[in-house]
Amino acid sequence: MRRACWMLVLVLLIGSLAVSFGSICAASKWTGTIQVWDFPRPEAAAEWELQAFKEFEELHPGVKIEYTKLTWAGGNEKLDVAVAAGQPPDICGSGLRLPYVLQGALEPIDDFLTPEDLKDFHEGSLNAVKLNGKYWGWPWYNTLYVMYLNADIFNERGVPLPKNGEWTWDEFLSAMQKLTFDRDGDGKIDVYGFGFTFQPTYLQPFGFIYAEGGRILDIDKNEFILDRPEAVDGIQRLYDMVWKHKCALPGAGGLTTTDVNNAFLNTRSIAAFVDTTGIISSFAAHNEKIEKGEIEGEKINLVTAQYPKSKSGQPIAAGPGVGSWAVFKQKDPAKREVVMELAKFITRGEGQKVVVPLIGVFPSRKSAGNVWAGDKNLEHIVPAVEYAVYPPMHPNWQKIDEKIMRELQLAILNEKTIDAALKEAKRQMERLLNY
Amino acid sequence: MVDGLARIKQDPEPHKTNKVRSVLKLLYKKRWAYYFIAPATILFCIFTVIPVIRSFILAFQEFRLMGNVWVGLDNFKYVLTDPVFHKAMRNTALYTVIMVPQGVLKALVLASILRNLPEAMQTFFRGAYYLPGVASAVVISMVWKWIYDPNFGLFNLILGKFGFGPYPWLTSPKTSLTSIMLMGILTAPGYYIILYLAAMKKIPRELYEVADIDGATPFSKWWNVTLPLLKPTTLYITITSIIGSFQIFTSAYVMTQGGPGYSTMTVVYLIYNTAFRDFEFGLASAQAIVLAAIIVFISIFNFRAFSTDVQY
């Protein structure tokens, strides 16, 4: 009995200690205003964001969120000026800029990433926010390129559509060759299988270059590696499609993405091309306008597919980037913790499940599940997300991208050999890689 | 004598003092004139002089968000050894060499033809030629981009009717710069036509009457009277055209973004990219200074070669 009494006292003591320690911890939590900036999102996604901020405020009494909506037109400049003036927001959606990392304007998130987080995020998503061994933003969603196919042209030529949107390189090439034809019998080719272009910031053709392990930079060694055989192989495939197999839209290197989009949607002179998933809605809008009689023309019978798989059968995916939330430098460690919590809250898997489809992209966390289950265009793209390759996280990426693209344009236009173009690109990289 | 020495000691440079005093006196006397030009001068200083000085300083610095760093002549060294700058300079020079002579010649010939037309016709054509100049260069470039479009472009459409093409007007490095020049060649230089017409009207009729008495042919009169007396106008038009051509930007920006490759990369477009895309304001300033130096050199050469003391 006496022992039981002592045990009870001990339990009560430990319990009260735990309660008081908890309340001390809770009391030490920071209270105040968090400045949140974000770029415009689709209406439903923006509403979701506001709701999420409200929920966070409720979970953290005393914390107030002040939200500022940036514009796509002047948002970057506003952010640059705010950072330069030492008055950045506490947190910003799509605010991860390499110069900010180098200038020490951002907080690394490593200390706030749990082992569960590290397991939950797709590797490509995390790599896209990694620089100098640290992570600088909370990945929110992955933007991916997909291959768009005009099913009517496939049917017209009796070419089967890829099953589940998957095909090998040989199957893809064979299809593109069959889809290149003279429709009106005048001896000239009217329809080409594939259309692509090399244009700065548009990395659509790079899925072919990544296929066998080709990459632009080795970010850890800060080295240009696009001239390695596995990458050259991909460039050669694209070149051959234009010059050897003649199944890609001529002048590929000099076209703009608008030219390629026009060739697919308006002149219907290509059967396939690659773009981001975001433009699916514009194809839907095109079909709707035709249905309503607002514009003349034919509805597009759209089907999506992945890039051709690698020789080993691995799915290939490429994207222009990863949307993330960046936390700006905080003087107060307690506030830093709360702001990090907010970033984690916005980018949690449960949230992504709801908001990511509203933006038309793919989740960065595996726990969000297959948000596109049942969607005829995107469901079969989901398995490739895990393998997605994004632009390297390099402070001079914009310049590197421009120089490489211009050289690849010349190679694809047959103005230079691939080798000469890559040598010149490498020479130009020397200055840009040293930062 | 002692007083005099003391005065010299107090004022070691009496001439200088007097000069300053007389300048101040003059300034005071003409103060209203200075009041009137002050607003324009202040604005000129704020929006032109200070940015130019700032740009000159920036050329020796590396721009950083948290404060610039002095790099000496590094930016200039890079500019002068950068193959892209060389290519942009070659493109710009080629554009200038083709566009300036044809532009001056076209304006001169059209103005000479218009001059012999009745006044009403002259007014009509002056307006017709000048009107496109009112439109924004961006709009004109966009229209021409459509004309050159590989899918729906007017040129390929017309040529297609005759079984030619389609031609990659802007999408091949072999034709892209030529296509941009063709746009300039097919556009009438309305402003220069008006300048020439005004200058032609100032030429005294007596000179033509004397030539008539001498039995000169119309071409001979144009060659021996009109042309020499238009020399100051030609000089002005040539210099402003050269400056304009060296600053070609809009068509490269709107129509080709300097590509394919670097085939239509111009110096000003490169400066724009360096400054506003790459945020390398120091390097961009160095590029701008090199361009300015080249323009100044060419302008001085032109003045020396073509300047004239024609008075009439």
Side-chain angles (χ1 to χ4, degrees), chain B residues 72-112:
Chain B
L73 291 169
D74 281 4
N75 288 332
F76 288 97
K77 272 186 215 159
Y78 183 79
V79 169
L80 296 175
T81 53
D82 179 17
V84 177
F85 185 79
H86 294 169
K87 175 71 179 163
M89 192 48 89
R90 275 201 300 277
N91 288 343
T92 310
L94 180 65
Y95 181 86
T96 304
V97 165
I98 304 284
M99 297 309 288
V100 173
Q102 69 82 31
V104 175
L105 195 69
K106 209 162 58 185
L108 181 64
V109 170
L110 285 171
S112 303

mmCIF file of all heavy atoms in Angstrom, chain B residues 72-112:
data_model
loop_
_atom_site.group_PDB
_atom_site.id
_atom_site.type_symbol
_atom_site.label_atom_id
_atom_site.label_comp_id
_atom_site.label_asym_id
_atom_site.label_seq_id
_atom_site.Cartn_x
_atom_site.Cartn_y
_atom_site.Cartn_z
ATOM 1 N N GLY B 72 38.258 46.713 -60.883
ATOM 2 C CA GLY B 72 39.219 47.346 -61.795
ATOM 3 C C GLY B 72 38.768 47.244 -63.239
ATOM 4 O O GLY B 72 37.621 47.561 -63.556
ATOM 5 N N LEU B 73 39.661 46.756 -64.099
ATOM 6 C CA LEU B 73 39.349 46.697 -65.534
ATOM 7 C C LEU B 73 38.814 45.325 -65.965
ATOM 8 O O LEU B 73 38.685 45.056 -67.159
ATOM 9 C CB LEU B 73 40.608 47.021 -66.345
ATOM 10 C CG LEU B 73 41.090 48.467 -66.257
ATOM 11 C CD1 LEU B 73 42.465 48.607 -66.878
ATOM 12 C CD2 LEU B 73 40.117 49.428 -66.930
ATOM 13 N N ASP B 74 38.488 44.487 -64.993
ATOM 14 C CA ASP B 74 38.061 43.116 -65.325
ATOM 15 C C ASP B 74 36.875 43.067 -66.282
ATOM 16 O O ASP B 74 36.844 42.243 -67.195
ATOM 17 C CB ASP B 74 37.691 42.354 -64.034
ATOM 18 C CG ASP B 74 38.936 41.875 -63.315
ATOM 19 O OD1 ASP B 74 40.045 42.204 -63.786
ATOM 20 O OD2 ASP B 74 38.804 41.184 -62.287
ATOM 21 N N ASN B 75 35.900 43.949 -66.040
ATOM 22 C CA ASN B 75 34.714 43.942 -66.908
ATOM 23 C C ASN B 75 35.095 44.264 -68.346
ATOM 24 O O ASN B 75 34.591 43.653 -69.287
ATOM 25 C CB ASN B 75 33.673 44.946 -66.415
ATOM 26 C CG ASN B 75 32.997 44.483 -65.137
ATOM 27 O OD1 ASN B 75 32.889 43.287 -64.902
ATOM 28 N ND2 ASN B 75 32.587 45.430 -64.299
ATOM 29 N N PHE B 76 35.992 45.238 -68.514
ATOM 30 C CA PHE B 76 36.410 45.622 -69.863
ATOM 31 C C PHE B 76 37.207 44.499 -70.524
ATOM 32 O O PHE B 76 37.037 44.222 -71.701
ATOM 33 C CB PHE B 76 37.239 46.916 -69.824
ATOM 34 C CG PHE B 76 36.402 48.109 -69.517
ATOM 35 C CD1 PHE B 76 36.313 48.597 -68.220
ATOM 36 C CD2 PHE B 76 35.665 48.737 -70.504
ATOM 37 C CE1 PHE B 76 35.509 49.686 -67.928
ATOM 38 C CE2 PHE B 76 34.863 49.831 -70.229
ATOM 39 C CZ PHE B 76 34.792 50.309 -68.922
ATOM 40 N N LYS B 77 38.063 43.858 -69.721
ATOM 41 C CA LYS B 77 38.853 42.741 -70.256
ATOM 42 C C LYS B 77 37.913 41.656 -70.762
ATOM 43 O O LYS B 77 38.108 41.094 -71.834
ATOM 44 C CB LYS B 77 39.747 42.159 -69.141
ATOM 45 C CG LYS B 77 41.089 42.843 -69.027
ATOM 46 C CD LYS B 77 41.934 42.092 -67.996
ATOM 47 C CE LYS B 77 42.803 43.076 -67.238
ATOM 48 N NZ LYS B 77 43.263 42.551 -65.962
ATOM 49 N N TYR B 78 36.882 41.375 -69.961
ATOM 50 C CA TYR B 78 35.941 40.321 -70.353
ATOM 51 C C TYR B 78 35.202 40.709 -71.629
ATOM 52 O O TYR B 78 35.071 39.901 -72.560
ATOM 53 C CB TYR B 78 34.938 40.039 -69.227
ATOM 54 C CG TYR B 78 34.009 38.904 -69.572
ATOM 55 C CD1 TYR B 78 34.435 37.586 -69.451
ATOM 56 C CD2 TYR B 78 32.736 39.141 -70.067
ATOM 57 C CE1 TYR B 78 33.603 36.532 -69.801
ATOM 58 C CE2 TYR B 78 31.902 38.102 -70.431
ATOM 59 C CZ TYR B 78 32.338 36.798 -70.288
ATOM 60 O OH TYR B 78 31.513 35.759 -70.647
ATOM 61 N N VAL B 79 34.736 41.953 -71.674
ATOM 62 C CA VAL B 79 33.976 42.410 -72.844
ATOM 63 C C VAL B 79 34.833 42.279 -74.101
ATOM 64 O O VAL B 79 34.387 41.769 -75.132
ATOM 65 C CB VAL B 79 33.530 43.879 -72.659
ATOM 66 C CG1 VAL B 79 32.982 44.460 -73.952
ATOM 67 C CG2 VAL B 79 32.492 43.975 -71.562
ATOM 68 N N LEU B 80 36.087 42.716 -74.017
ATOM 69 C CA LEU B 80 36.929 42.743 -75.205
ATOM 70 C C LEU B 80 37.379 41.354 -75.650
ATOM 71 O O LEU B 80 37.811 41.182 -76.786
ATOM 72 C CB LEU B 80 38.142 43.659 -74.971
ATOM 73 C CG LEU B 80 37.757 45.137 -74.748
ATOM 74 C CD1 LEU B 80 38.975 45.961 -74.395
ATOM 75 C CD2 LEU B 80 37.045 45.727 -75.963
ATOM 76 N N THR B 81 37.266 40.377 -74.778
ATOM 77 C CA THR B 81 37.673 39.016 -75.179
ATOM 78 C C THR B 81 36.481 38.070 -75.313
ATOM 79 O O THR B 81 36.651 36.897 -75.619
ATOM 80 C CB THR B 81 38.640 38.406 -74.127
ATOM 81 O OG1 THR B 81 38.016 38.499 -72.851
ATOM 82 C CG2 THR B 81 39.981 39.123 -74.099
ATOM 83 N N ASP B 82 35.284 38.596 -75.097
ATOM 84 C CA ASP B 82 34.094 37.745 -75.127
ATOM 85 C C ASP B 82 33.639 37.507 -76.578
ATOM 86 O O ASP B 82 33.255 38.448 -77.282
ATOM 87 C CB ASP B 82 32.965 38.436 -74.328
ATOM 88 C CG ASP B 82 31.692 37.626 -74.341
ATOM 89 O OD1 ASP B 82 31.753 36.430 -74.668
ATOM 90 O OD2 ASP B 82 30.626 38.200 -74.026
ATOM 91 N N PRO B 83 33.648 36.248 -77.038
ATOM 92 C CA PRO B 83 33.239 35.978 -78.423
ATOM 93 C C PRO B 83 31.794 36.375 -78.706
ATOM 94 O O PRO B 83 31.461 36.717 -79.841
ATOM 95 C CB PRO B 83 33.400 34.468 -78.567
ATOM 96 C CG PRO B 83 34.024 33.970 -77.339
ATOM 97 C CD PRO B 83 34.029 35.035 -76.312
ATOM 98 N N VAL B 84 30.956 36.326 -77.672
ATOM 99 C CA VAL B 84 29.547 36.707 -77.891
ATOM 100 C C VAL B 84 29.459 38.212 -78.169
ATOM 101 O O VAL B 84 28.712 38.653 -79.052
ATOM 102 C CB VAL B 84 28.672 36.317 -76.676
ATOM 103 C CG1 VAL B 84 27.243 36.772 -76.871
ATOM 104 C CG2 VAL B 84 28.726 34.816 -76.448
ATOM 105 N N PHE B 85 30.261 39.003 -77.431
ATOM 106 C CA PHE B 85 30.269 40.446 -77.686
ATOM 107 C C PHE B 85 30.815 40.720 -79.095
ATOM 108 O O PHE B 85 30.288 41.565 -79.820
ATOM 109 C CB PHE B 85 31.129 41.161 -76.632
ATOM 110 C CG PHE B 85 31.079 42.663 -76.755
ATOM 111 C CD1 PHE B 85 30.006 43.380 -76.260
ATOM 112 C CD2 PHE B 85 32.103 43.357 -77.385
ATOM 113 C CE1 PHE B 85 29.943 44.757 -76.385
ATOM 114 C CE2 PHE B 85 32.055 44.732 -77.515
ATOM 115 C CZ PHE B 85 30.973 45.440 -77.006
ATOM 116 N N HIS B 86 31.835 39.965 -79.471
ATOM 117 C CA HIS B 86 32.398 40.130 -80.828
ATOM 118 C C HIS B 86 31.342 39.830 -81.888
ATOM 119 O O HIS B 86 31.208 40.567 -82.861
ATOM 120 C CB HIS B 86 33.593 39.190 -81.033
ATOM 121 C CG HIS B 86 34.762 39.539 -80.153
ATOM 122 N ND1 HIS B 86 35.851 38.727 -80.004
ATOM 123 C CD2 HIS B 86 35.001 40.602 -79.358
ATOM 124 C CE1 HIS B 86 36.710 39.278 -79.155
ATOM 125 N NE2 HIS B 86 36.200 40.418 -78.750
ATOM 126 N N LYS B 87 30.621 38.730 -81.656
ATOM 127 C CA LYS B 87 29.588 38.334 -82.618
ATOM 128 C C LYS B 87 28.503 39.417 -82.682
ATOM 129 O O LYS B 87 28.046 39.791 -83.764
ATOM 130 C CB LYS B 87 28.987 36.978 -82.188
ATOM 131 C CG LYS B 87 27.838 36.479 -83.007
ATOM 132 C CD LYS B 87 28.251 36.020 -84.374
ATOM 133 C CE LYS B 87 27.069 35.501 -85.176
ATOM 134 N NZ LYS B 87 27.337 35.418 -86.596
ATOM 135 N N ALA B 88 28.102 39.897 -81.506
ATOM 136 C CA ALA B 88 27.065 40.941 -81.452
ATOM 137 C C ALA B 88 27.568 42.196 -82.172
ATOM 138 O O ALA B 88 26.811 42.854 -82.895
ATOM 139 C CB ALA B 88 26.721 41.257 -80.003
ATOM 140 N N MET B 89 28.837 42.507 -81.982
ATOM 141 C CA MET B 89 29.408 43.694 -82.626
ATOM 142 C C MET B 89 29.449 43.496 -84.150
ATOM 143 O O MET B 89 29.138 44.416 -84.907
ATOM 144 C CB MET B 89 30.811 43.938 -82.048
ATOM 145 C CG MET B 89 31.424 45.272 -82.400
ATOM 146 S SD MET B 89 30.336 46.683 -82.166
ATOM 147 C CE MET B 89 30.657 47.096 -80.503
ATOM 148 N N ARG B 90 29.821 42.284 -84.581
ATOM 149 C CA ARG B 90 29.852 42.009 -86.028
ATOM 150 C C ARG B 90 28.451 42.137 -86.627
ATOM 151 O O ARG B 90 28.273 42.753 -87.676
ATOM 152 C CB ARG B 90 30.396 40.597 -86.287
ATOM 153 C CG ARG B 90 31.914 40.527 -86.336
ATOM 154 C CD ARG B 90 32.371 39.281 -87.094
ATOM 155 N NE ARG B 90 31.894 38.041 -86.485
ATOM 156 C CZ ARG B 90 32.476 37.420 -85.462
ATOM 157 N NH1 ARG B 90 33.579 37.923 -84.948
ATOM 158 N NH2 ARG B 90 31.988 36.307 -84.966
ATOM 159 N N ASN B 91 27.468 41.544 -85.948
ATOM 160 C CA ASN B 91 26.080 41.639 -86.438
ATOM 161 C C ASN B 91 25.638 43.089 -86.527
ATOM 162 O O ASN B 91 25.027 43.515 -87.506
ATOM 163 C CB ASN B 91 25.124 40.897 -85.493
ATOM 164 C CG ASN B 91 25.261 39.394 -85.585
ATOM 165 O OD1 ASN B 91 25.816 38.876 -86.549
ATOM 166 N ND2 ASN B 91 24.773 38.696 -84.581
ATOM 167 N N THR B 92 25.947 43.852 -85.476
ATOM 168 C CA THR B 92 25.519 45.256 -85.426
ATOM 169 C C THR B 92 26.226 46.056 -86.526
ATOM 170 O O THR B 92 25.600 46.884 -87.199
ATOM 171 C CB THR B 92 25.842 45.856 -84.042
ATOM 172 O OG1 THR B 92 25.346 44.968 -83.043
ATOM 173 C CG2 THR B 92 25.213 47.212 -83.848
ATOM 174 N N ALA B 93 27.504 45.788 -86.710
ATOM 175 C CA ALA B 93 28.266 46.515 -87.733
ATOM 176 C C ALA B 93 27.736 46.184 -89.128
ATOM 177 O O ALA B 93 27.534 47.077 -89.959
ATOM 178 C CB ALA B 93 29.744 46.161 -87.633
ATOM 179 N N LEU B 94 27.448 44.879 -89.353
ATOM 180 C CA LEU B 94 26.917 44.472 -90.658
ATOM 181 C C LEU B 94 25.566 45.144 -90.902
ATOM 182 O O LEU B 94 25.296 45.658 -91.995
ATOM 183 C CB LEU B 94 26.772 42.941 -90.694
ATOM 184 C CG LEU B 94 26.222 42.351 -91.988
ATOM 185 C CD1 LEU B 94 27.198 42.590 -93.148
ATOM 186 C CD2 LEU B 94 25.976 40.854 -91.848
ATOM 187 N N TYR B 95 24.751 45.157 -89.866
ATOM 188 C CA TYR B 95 23.433 45.796 -89.959
ATOM 189 C C TYR B 95 23.605 47.269 -90.320
ATOM 190 O O TYR B 95 22.924 47.794 -91.204
ATOM 191 C CB TYR B 95 22.712 45.637 -88.620
ATOM 192 C CG TYR B 95 21.321 46.228 -88.592
ATOM 193 C CD1 TYR B 95 20.233 45.493 -89.032
ATOM 194 C CD2 TYR B 95 21.104 47.520 -88.129
ATOM 195 C CE1 TYR B 95 18.962 46.028 -89.012
ATOM 196 C CE2 TYR B 95 19.836 48.069 -88.101
ATOM 197 C CZ TYR B 95 18.759 47.309 -88.539
ATOM 198 O OH TYR B 95 17.498 47.853 -88.520
ATOM 199 N N THR B 96 24.560 47.926 -89.665
ATOM 200 C CA THR B 96 24.785 49.359 -89.897
ATOM 201 C C THR B 96 25.311 49.601 -91.315
ATOM 202 O O THR B 96 24.829 50.499 -92.012
ATOM 203 C CB THR B 96 25.797 49.893 -88.854
ATOM 204 O OG1 THR B 96 25.286 49.587 -87.559
ATOM 205 C CG2 THR B 96 26.014 51.382 -88.970
ATOM 206 N N VAL B 97 26.251 48.776 -91.729
ATOM 207 C CA VAL B 97 26.864 48.952 -93.060
ATOM 208 C C VAL B 97 25.811 48.805 -94.166
ATOM 209 O O VAL B 97 25.851 49.517 -95.171
ATOM 210 C CB VAL B 97 28.012 47.923 -93.251
ATOM 211 C CG1 VAL B 97 28.435 47.814 -94.701
ATOM 212 C CG2 VAL B 97 29.195 48.310 -92.388
ATOM 213 N N ILE B 98 24.866 47.905 -93.976
ATOM 214 C CA ILE B 98 23.816 47.711 -94.989
ATOM 215 C C ILE B 98 22.718 48.763 -94.844
ATOM 216 O O ILE B 98 22.296 49.389 -95.817
ATOM 217 C CB ILE B 98 23.166 46.301 -94.866
ATOM 218 C CG1 ILE B 98 24.222 45.202 -94.961
ATOM 219 C CG2 ILE B 98 22.032 46.102 -95.875
ATOM 220 C CD1 ILE B 98 24.761 44.905 -96.344
ATOM 221 N N MET B 99 22.276 48.974 -93.614
ATOM 222 C CA MET B 99 21.064 49.767 -93.412
ATOM 223 C C MET B 99 21.280 51.270 -93.583
ATOM 224 O O MET B 99 20.399 51.968 -94.086
ATOM 225 C CB MET B 99 20.477 49.497 -92.021
ATOM 226 C CG MET B 99 20.023 48.073 -91.808
ATOM 227 S SD MET B 99 18.932 47.484 -93.099
ATOM 228 C CE MET B 99 17.464 48.400 -92.715
ATOM 229 N N VAL B 100 22.432 51.772 -93.151
ATOM 230 C CA VAL B 100 22.625 53.229 -93.208
ATOM 231 C C VAL B 100 22.713 53.727 -94.658
ATOM 232 O O VAL B 100 21.932 54.611 -95.044
ATOM 233 C CB VAL B 100 23.845 53.668 -92.358
ATOM 234 C CG1 VAL B 100 24.154 55.145 -92.562
ATOM 235 C CG2 VAL B 100 23.562 53.383 -90.890
ATOM 236 N N PRO B 101 23.586 53.184 -95.500
ATOM 237 C CA PRO B 101 23.651 53.705 -96.870
ATOM 238 C C PRO B 101 22.325 53.571 -97.617
ATOM 239 O O PRO B 101 21.884 54.522 -98.264
ATOM 240 C CB PRO B 101 24.733 52.862 -97.533
ATOM 241 C CG PRO B 101 25.524 52.284 -96.426
ATOM 242 C CD PRO B 101 24.575 52.126 -95.293
ATOM 243 N N GLN B 102 21.674 52.378 -97.479
ATOM 244 C CA GLN B 102 20.406 52.211 -98.209
ATOM 245 C C GLN B 102 19.338 53.166 -97.665
ATOM 246 O O GLN B 102 18.536 53.688 -98.428
ATOM 247 C CB GLN B 102 19.955 50.744 -98.207
ATOM 248 C CG GLN B 102 19.502 50.155 -96.880
ATOM 249 C CD GLN B 102 18.068 50.499 -96.534
ATOM 250 O OE1 GLN B 102 17.231 50.664 -97.414
ATOM 251 N NE2 GLN B 102 17.803 50.641 -95.240
ATOM 252 N N GLY B 103 19.352 53.392 -96.358
ATOM 253 C CA GLY B 103 18.363 54.282 -95.749
ATOM 254 C C GLY B 103 18.549 55.716 -96.235
ATOM 255 O O GLY B 103 17.581 56.395 -96.609
ATOM 256 N N VAL B 104 19.812 56.167 -96.253
ATOM 257 C CA VAL B 104 20.106 57.545 -96.688
ATOM 258 C C VAL B 104 19.756 57.697 -98.166
ATOM 259 O O VAL B 104 19.101 58.656 -98.574
ATOM 260 C CB VAL B 104 21.596 57.892 -96.425
ATOM 261 C CG1 VAL B 104 21.941 59.258 -96.986
ATOM 262 C CG2 VAL B 104 21.901 57.825 -94.933
ATOM 263 N N LEU B 105 20.179 56.706 -98.942
ATOM 264 C CA LEU B 105 19.928 56.758 -100.391
ATOM 265 C C LEU B 105 18.432 56.730 -100.686
ATOM 266 O O LEU B 105 17.935 57.505 -101.514
ATOM 267 C CB LEU B 105 20.629 55.555 -101.049
ATOM 268 C CG LEU B 105 20.770 55.653 -102.566
ATOM 269 C CD1 LEU B 105 21.766 56.747 -102.933
ATOM 270 C CD2 LEU B 105 21.246 54.320 -103.142
ATOM 271 N N LYS B 106 17.734 55.860 -99.985
ATOM 272 C CA LYS B 106 16.284 55.737 -100.196
ATOM 273 C C LYS B 106 15.590 57.049 -99.865
ATOM 274 O O LYS B 106 14.742 57.529 -100.635
ATOM 275 C CB LYS B 106 15.773 54.630 -99.277
ATOM 276 C CG LYS B 106 14.576 53.891 -99.763
ATOM 277 C CD LYS B 106 14.418 52.578 -99.024
ATOM 278 C CE LYS B 106 14.296 52.768 -97.527
ATOM 279 N NZ LYS B 106 14.252 51.526 -96.779
ATOM 280 N N ALA B 107 15.961 57.644 -98.740
ATOM 281 C CA ALA B 107 15.342 58.913 -98.329
ATOM 282 C C ALA B 107 15.648 59.995 -99.357
ATOM 283 O O ALA B 107 14.765 60.782 -99.728
ATOM 284 C CB ALA B 107 15.868 59.316 -96.953
ATOM 285 N N LEU B 108 16.870 60.020 -99.824
ATOM 286 C CA LEU B 108 17.293 61.047 -100.791
ATOM 287 C C LEU B 108 16.533 60.894 -102.101
ATOM 288 O O LEU B 108 15.986 61.874 -102.647
ATOM 289 C CB LEU B 108 18.808 60.913 -101.023
ATOM 290 C CG LEU B 108 19.442 61.912 -101.973
ATOM 291 C CD1 LEU B 108 19.329 63.321 -101.418
ATOM 292 C CD2 LEU B 108 20.916 61.569 -102.198
ATOM 293 N N VAL B 109 16.457 59.669 -102.607
ATOM 294 C CA VAL B 109 15.776 59.437 -103.888
ATOM 295 C C VAL B 109 14.292 59.740 -103.758
ATOM 296 O O VAL B 109 13.719 60.459 -104.590
ATOM 297 C CB VAL B 109 16.015 57.973 -104.353
ATOM 298 C CG1 VAL B 109 15.128 57.624 -105.535
ATOM 299 C CG2 VAL B 109 17.482 57.768 -104.691
ATOM 300 N N LEU B 110 13.665 59.235 -102.693
ATOM 301 C CA LEU B 110 12.221 59.471 -102.532
ATOM 302 C C LEU B 110 11.928 60.960 -102.351
ATOM 303 O O LEU B 110 10.971 61.480 -102.938
ATOM 304 C CB LEU B 110 11.687 58.672 -101.334
ATOM 305 C CG LEU B 110 11.538 57.169 -101.567
ATOM 306 C CD1 LEU B 110 11.217 56.445 -100.276
ATOM 307 C CD2 LEU B 110 10.443 56.883 -102.593
ATOM 308 N N ALA B 111 12.756 61.655 -101.579
ATOM 309 C CA ALA B 111 12.539 63.095 -101.378
ATOM 310 C C ALA B 111 12.724 63.840 -102.698
ATOM 311 O O ALA B 111 11.968 64.775 -103.004
ATOM 312 C CB ALA B 111 13.523 63.615 -100.325
ATOM 313 N N SER B 112 13.701 63.422 -103.497
ATOM 314 C CA SER B 112 13.933 64.079 -104.791
ATOM 315 C C SER B 112 12.753 63.879 -105.727
ATOM 316 O O SER B 112 12.372 64.783 -106.466
ATOM 317 C CB SER B 112 15.209 63.506 -105.438
ATOM 318 O OG SER B 112 16.297 63.676 -104.576
#
